[in-house]
Amino acid sequence: MYTKGRSRHFIYTDWILIETQFDPEQLHSKETVFTIGNGYLGTRGCFEEGYPHALPATFIHGVYDDVPVVYTELVNCPDWLPLIVIVNGDRFRLDQGEILRYDRQLDLRQGLLGRSLRWRSPSGNTIDIGFERFASLADPHVLALRCHLTPVDFDGLIEVQASINGYPENQGFNHWEGLDQGKTDQGIWLQRRTRSSRIELCVAAKVTISGTEASLQVSTAPGYPTLSTTFLGKAQQTVTVEKLVTVFTSREVETPVLAAQEKLAHLPDYATLLKANEQAWDEVWQQSDILIEGDSTATFAVRYNLFQLLIAAPRHDDRVSIPAKTLSGFGYRGHIFWDTEIFMLPMFLFTQPAIACNLLSYRWHTLPGAQRKAAHYGYKGAMFAWESAVTGDEVTPRWALESNFYGEDVRIWCRDREIHINADIPYAIWNYWQATGDDDWMQKVGAEVILDAAIFWGSRVEFNPERERYEIRGVIGADEYHELVHNNAFTNRMAQWHLEKAIAVYDWLTDKFPERATELEQKLKLTSQERSHWQDIVAKILFLYDPSTELIEQFEGFFQSEDIDLADYEPRDRSMQAILGVDRINKYQVIKQPDILMLLYLMRESADFPYSEKALQTNWDYYAPRTDITYGSSLGPAVHAILASDLSKSIEAYELFIRALMVDLEDNRGNTSDGIHGASAGGIWQAVIFGFGGIQLTENGPVANPHLPPGWTRLKFKLHWRGKWHDFDLHQGLGIGHGALGMGHGELGMGHGELGMGHGEKDTTEITNAQFPIPNSQSSNIQGFIFDLDGVLTDTAELHYLGWKKLADEEGIPFDREANEALRGVSRRASLMLILGDRPYAEAQIQEMMERKNRYYVELIQNMTPQDLLPGAIALLDELRQAGIKIGIGSASKNAQTVIERLGIADKIDAIADGYSVQEPKPAPDLFLYAAKQLGIEPEQSVVVEDAAAGVEAALAAGMWAVGLGPVERVGAAHVVLPSLEGITWADLREQLSHVSRQKR
């Protein structure tokens, strides 16, 4: 199904993001949105030919280098994309000439980014250009780019230059120094080294050309090796240029130059690489996909958020982690926050556990840096950096520098005070252990992190003898609007929870792995006195909480701060901190992101203190209205969506979910140009699975107690828990699902039913005419109507015709209205095959044409209004509703939901069965049986209204009443045949059906 993105020129299909128009004003944010990657590197969605002020970037995990003020940053690596096309002397570029047609697509199924356009040069030559590229998931060191060039109206010289740009910049700073470059029999190569961290890199590339006779020339301009060719282009003849690239750094191999050259020499062709990439992605999606039906925007956008996490996840390296802005932009300098462990990790934990293990092992490798930070501040153990890079040392900038000449630089206190990360990381490690049962990793790696970080808390707390309580003073909690607070509830409770688990891990090690326990005691200077100290802290840490109401005070004195009504500041387009100022906002009860509610969320799954249903309700009522959920932190909306769903606030939950879901696709915070909001993407997965899916983890495996948003008819996913996969297939209002541990997959208790089941055995009533069967029910017992859309309620058949006509014209295939008659009620693929006849087309071409036609159709239906309802339709729908008759839609279209919304009749429809609902299309009865089941009625209680022969046949096969609209030669098999719905009433139909019943019985 397609939906159209708000003002971004986007169309969303199930798997493909389509940009229909180039807007230079959105250049940088779209570069982020169209990022591709493979877990080793990420490449922003910049144009191969370049564009003024573009921000091209390729980031490789672990390639950091020193820089003033912000200490270290993820380095922008040499650009592998450059492919210049010169048409009869005019260089192809989108800021010159004329764009006659433009289309850019990101196919999530295989991480494939494509662009198709028709461009007229300043000299008047028109050419079709198609680009396609991917970063291979099958081999992380391989990148591939393909370009199709087809002159439309001229013969002339075309020059192509394929280069490696060795002068990338991190916003004005070049981290690379040149070492060497050259050419081989295969192509060109470039060797560079970072200035401070001394990481060597080699990029190698080769080019092949097909469709014309052409030779390649090599240019070795310093830092910019190039392969170029010139050929005579001929009108309507396509030339294909393929550029294959290999990349290695000294982080993986001793000699990157040899590795890149050898890999390049043995690469297969583009098509083979693409196939391997597709297979690798298929395996990933088999485990990580989430299927949503009934909400076309969410169907795509959820997958998009998962895709952006998957391409940033290190699959083969446990010394790196996912930066806050993934590998997609310059924001936060590629630094790693708590975002990874708390927001992003759960998706990997339950669908790609090996990646989750890598992400957590990174923290073990960076323990020395955390220990250096603790020592610097005068504490013991490991004090994790708020922002981390390679070593684990603190790399949070000390100052935020104003771009305004006269602005005041702002001190960043998170590096000193935001210490809850020291419990957040152990929280993630504990959850990994519980979900995987990976005792070997836990005793070798995870336990040391938990224990060393616990030692820090023992030295950080202060004992207040007057209160006889331990306190943690001078901190920043999850809410960063308040920069110096005491006894923040989130920090104190997370530290307490951490120490509880540290004691449990210590005891477990002593019992199960005594040698490792002894080793860590010596290494960490861990004693029985330390363990006793932890127990004392757990028993006596201060937590500001009213047991009668279960309201928690966010920090000491929060309730005495000046209250604020955020509604007084609406409408606004910036954060409350930007409005009130950094200093002033500290005095108000306004919160950047969930703090108390974040604590309740993290304790929700285990139902640990202070979580309870009463506590959630009480604290939601107090803190949610005071949270800057729109422009505070992007980490907030997804968490709020989950908790709102728990509280049965379904509309609010969905609105919050959409805010998080579309943060980058719609750039609703205005900063997508900095990179993907990785934590929000991870929060989306949690909102779908733990919120709407209602997943709870039990000793017997995950259990679902779903509360799907309005409109969602199906939610399907799988989870990995303790070595077994659990499948969940949840349907709106049809019970709960649970994972059957012994079977290794989820069994859905009433979550869905087999089509055709549950309807009862048909009586063996004698049928006088096999072509004219009578349902085994009296017409007076009709409980529901199922309407087709096309040609019944609206004339979308005309729009389908226009879509097919445009496609056929483009392909040079004769097609007219008479030929279109054969397509009524037929699936998209079957329709296309009828149009193509015996013309030979590859499967990839068939898929592309189906997508193209649907794109044309979706563009057309965006203009539909209630005025497009056919005569008599709305009157009959209203009469049926007044009579208590249920109304369903049974359409083979995958755009049915969108059409219904555009027609303004969504409030009159009780159930929708569309192209997503069943496998077998009409004339199989499955679609109508599914619709009846959704309506909660038996087939024989159903009336189908159809205008196609295949639809009538399907209704009869389902054992339902059939009303045919149109000529007898097309729908004559129906029980009742009418020219249209105009002037038709329920009383008329009931009388005609009764008459048929009396005649035939």
Side-chain angles (χ1 to χ4, degrees), residues 621-852:
D621 291 344
Y622 192 86
Y623 287 103
R626 293 167 170 82
T627 303
D628 185 4
I629 207 69
T630 51
Y631 291 101
S633 169
S634 63
L635 280 59
V639 172
H640 270 208
I642 297 168
L643 300 180
S645 184
D646 285 355
L647 293 169
S648 300
K649 299 176 181 291
S650 58
I651 295 176
E652 185 174 358
Y654 184 74
E655 290 173 351
L656 289 160
F657 169 74
I658 289 294
R659 177 171 294 278
L661 184 69
M662 308 307 290
V663 65
D664 290 313
L665 287 169
E666 292 187 351
D667 193 13
N668 59 33
R669 289 175 179 265
N671 62 354
T672 295
S673 57
D674 294 337
I676 291 293
H677 292 78
S680 182
I684 286 300
W685 185 91
Q686 295 184 58
V688 173
I689 303 303
F690 297 134
F692 301 142
I695 288 294
Q696 296 171 322
L697 305 172
T698 73
E699 281 302 312
N700 295 322
V703 174
N705 182 17
H707 18 100
L708 304 186
W712 287 24
T713 57
R714 187 185 188 192
L715 173 60
K716 183 181 181 183
F717 55 90
K718 62 170 59 176
L719 302 176
H720 192 266
W721 174 261
R722 296 181 183 173
K724 295 184 182 295
W725 285 101
H726 302 259
D727 292 318
F728 292 87
D729 196 345
L730 312 176
H731 289 243
Q732 184 72 264
L734 292 178
I736 67 170
H738 62 88
L741 190 63
M743 298 179 65
H745 65 278
E747 289 188 342
L748 205 65
M750 291 186 67
H752 66 292
E754 292 298 322
L755 289 173
M757 301 296 289
H759 302 301
E761 292 297 321
K762 299 265 193 314
D763 291 345
T764 54
T765 305
E766 182 179 351
I767 298 174
T768 57
N769 183 347
Q771 300 300 314
F772 203 76
I774 300 298
N776 185 32
S777 171
Q778 298 299 316
S779 61
S780 60
N781 193 34
I782 290 169
Q783 300 294 313
F785 269 65
I786 302 169
F787 292 90
D788 186 18
L789 274 175
D790 300 353
V792 175
L793 297 180
T794 187
D795 196 10
T796 57
E798 174 65 14
L799 304 186
H800 279 296
Y801 166 71
L802 293 174
W804 285 125
K805 175 65 174 169
K806 183 175 181 180
L807 175 77
D809 288 347
E810 290 172 344
E811 296 297 322
I813 299 173
F815 183 73
D816 56 21
R817 294 185 182 279
E818 183 178 352
N820 187 61
E821 281 298 302
L823 309 188
R824 285 182 177 271
V826 179
S827 71
R828 192 188 312 164
R829 184 183 183 88
S831 295
L832 178 59
M833 301 316 291
L834 287 171
I835 293 171
L836 296 180
D838 57 0
R839 297 173 180 85
Y841 282 90
E843 178 60 29
Q845 293 173 299
I846 291 172
Q847 292 292 333
E848 186 279 329
M849 284 189 282
M850 287 195 294
E851 294 284 0
R852 196 184 342 151

Side-chain angles (χ1 to χ4, degrees), residues 546-581:
D546 182 342
S548 62
T549 63
E550 300 191 36
L551 181 64
I552 306 163
E553 189 170 16
Q554 183 171 303
F555 56 78
E556 205 165 349
F558 181 82
F559 290 153
Q560 282 70 55
S561 300
E562 189 174 342
D563 209 352
I564 192 169
D565 187 349
L566 296 183
D568 293 343
Y569 294 84
E570 298 295 346
R572 58 190 172 95
D573 59 2
R574 53 189 176 143
S575 72
M576 289 304 299
Q577 186 180 63
I579 293 172
L580 298 175

Side-chain angles (χ1 to χ4, degrees), residues 48 80-81 83 132-133 144-147 241-243 270:
E48 291 83 353
W80 62 277
L81 290 178
L83 193 83
E132 183 180 271
R133 68 182 187 240
L145 187 159
R146 181 161 63 186
C147 177
V241 180
E242 295 177 351
K243 178 182 180 183
Y270 181 96

Side-chain angles (χ1 to χ4, degrees), residues 318-320 360-369 390-391 445 449:
D318 67 357
R319 292 179 175 270
V320 297
L360 294 172
S361 296
Y362 160 81
R363 295 295 189 177
W364 180 72
H365 287 298
T366 57
L367 273 176
V390 174
T391 64
V445 177
V449 179

